Amino acid sequence: MTQTKPFDKCPVCGGVLEEKEVEKPLKGGVNTAVIKIRSDVCLHCGERLYSQETVKLFEDIRRKTL
C-alpha cells in the first residue's frame, strides 16, 4: 500500500516540499531528547510537515521523558 502525501505544496507559503532528514528536539519535563527523522520540508519557508505516524512517535517519546 503506497502512502499518499496530504500536501503537494507547502500549506504555509505554497513552496516546493522536499523529503529530508531533520533533527527534532522533544521536551518532556526537565528532559530533552533529540531525534533524527524524515520530514517534508518547504524549500522556501522551512516549514516541516510530519506524518501521523511520526507525530505519534513524538508523543510516545515525550511521555517517556516525563
Side-chain angles (χ1 to χ4, degrees), residues 15-50:
V16 175
L17 297 173
E18 183 176 294
E19 188 174 332
K20 294 184 176 190
E21 184 175 78
V22 297
E23 287 187 354
K24 173 75 173 167
L26 300 171
K27 295 180 182 180
V30 297
N31 299 309
T32 301
V34 178
I35 63 170
K36 288 186 179 181
I37 196 87
R38 301 295 296 177
S39 171
D40 285 333
V41 179
C42 177
L43 299 179
H44 180 72
C45 72
E47 181 72 15
R48 294 179 181 180
L49 303 175
Y50 300 105

Side-chain angles (χ1 to χ4, degrees), residues 52-65:
Q52 288 180 341
E53 294 81 16
T54 300
V55 172
K56 287 178 185 174
L57 174 67
F58 293 164
E59 291 169 351
D60 290 345
I61 293 171
R62 283 187 179 115
R63 255 192 307 279
K64 290 177 184 177
T65 60

Side-chain angles (χ1 to χ4, degrees), residues 1-6 51 53:
M1 181 175 165
T2 58
Q3 195 173 24
T4 60
K5 293 187 177 188
S51 68
E53 294 81 16

